[in-house]
Amino acid sequence: EIVLTQSPATLSLPPGERATLSCRASQSVRSYLAWYQQKPGQAPRLLIYDVSNRATGIPARFSGSGSETDFTLTISSLEPEDFAVYYCQQRRYWPLTFGQGTRLEIK
Amino acid sequence: QVQLVESGGGLVQPGRSLRLSCAASGFTLSSNAMHWVRQAPGEGLEWVAAISYDGSNTYNADSVKGRFTFSRDNSKNTLYLQMDSLRREDTAVYYCVRDSGYGSTWPLYFDLWGRGTLVSVSS
């Protein structure tokens, strides 16, 4: 099973700052990695797929990068609605797996 | 409106069974593989099961293998998750999720989520 390890567990930043979230895979997942955002009481939402492609309706301040085992989600300038939990997910191997999440909170 | 609506959750005793349903609308269900993803209270996301667009292939997480069965009836735009031999650790919100791939191009990503249904396993 591919283990995805996200860091940090919690990130505290003020609005307007740049956020950098990391996801590391226990073995190569090539470019088959996505990011999701989940707000309290809501279902997750697809943000980024195949490392760097924004899903429909996702603002340009969200970007993804990386390859093989190391991936990054960057939010260029935090808006109030961006404070949430973020998960990475791989689709290269069964079982499909998620990282444990990074909580992005307002500082 | 494109949506997935889960139903069938509730409180059940350990060892008993429950069947979840997921009604799809606003898109052609038969074009997409589908998944169930669950989230225990205060915890992260766990992929549970998947089914191909035509129901010919299914995959389960090891944690539910042999106990959960995922099926679909495309003519009724409905999916089902039969959960047998339930355990306390199965307590979670269960999300019905669409795969973004079409036909045999899957798995891709989870591009449409239902609101979830809560399953509580307790005596």
Side-chain angles (χ1 to χ4, degrees):
Chain A
E1 171 176 319
I2 301 291
V3 176
L4 298 177
T5 303
Q6 292 186 240
S7 61
T10 303
L11 183 60
S12 300
L13 291 169
E17 286 289 294
R18 181 185 187 92
T20 303
L21 288 66
S22 174
C23 176
R24 176 163 290 179
S26 58
Q27 63 187 85
S28 173
V29 297
R30 297 173 68 177
S31 62
Y32 301 145
L33 188 108
W35 292 91
Y36 299 84
Q37 176 193 67
Q38 186 178 31
K39 297 179 180 179
Q42 297 183 17
R45 175 175 70 148
L46 177 64
L47 293 177
I48 300 284
Y49 64 93
D50 286 343
V51 177
S52 60
N53 297 284
R54 280 189 301 276
T56 302
I58 302 304
R61 64 180 181 274
F62 291 90
S63 63
S65 62
S67 63
E68 306 294 342
T69 61
D70 289 288
F71 304 92
T72 300
L73 173 69
T74 301
I75 310 171
S76 59
S77 179
L78 286 165
E79 298 287 340
E81 62 267 27
D82 298 338
F83 293 93
V85 180
Y86 292 83
Y87 296 94
C88 57
Q89 175 250 325
Q90 66 83 22
R91 68 171 179 94
R92 187 175 185 199
Y93 296 106
W94 298 103
L96 308 181
T97 51
F98 291 91
Q100 83 280 14
T102 289
R103 180 178 305 276
L104 179 56
E105 62 178 31
I106 300 176
K107 186 173 184 179
Chain B
Q1 186 179 3
V2 178
Q3 63 178 359
L4 298 166
V5 179
E6 304 93 338
S7 60
L11 176 63
V12 61
Q13 293 179 328
R16 304 299 290 265
S17 298
L18 205 61
R19 188 177 82 158
L20 304 183
S21 299
C22 172
S25 59
F27 68 100
T28 305
L29 179 64
S30 59
S31 295
N32 296 84
M34 298 294 294
H35 304 261
W36 288 95
V37 173
R38 69 184 180 185
Q39 187 168 36
E43 301 295 324
L45 302 171
E46 179 189 14
W47 171 82
V48 173
I51 191 166
S52 59
Y53 71 103
D54 60 357
S56 61
N57 291 289
T58 59
Y59 298 85
N60 288 337
D62 285 347
S63 57
V64 306
K65 203 162 286 184
R67 300 187 299 121
F68 288 14
T69 303
F70 195 178
S71 61
R72 65 192 296 160
D73 185 340
N74 288 337
S75 67
K76 295 182 178 180
N77 290 324
T78 305
L79 303 128
Y80 305 98
L81 185 67
Q82 177 67 39
M83 304 187 294
D84 298 323
S85 303
L86 282 161
R87 305 168 180 169
R88 287 183 174 81
E89 54 265 34
D90 295 320
T91 294
V93 172
Y94 284 73
Y95 294 104
C96 177
V97 187
R98 186 178 71 180
D99 193 293
S100 59
Y102 292 103
S104 58
T105 304
W106 79 294
L108 293 186
Y109 299 109
F110 307 134
D111 71 341
L112 179 66
W113 297 65
R115 291 190 171 186
T117 186
L118 176 62
V119 173
S120 296
V121 184
S122 175
S123 53

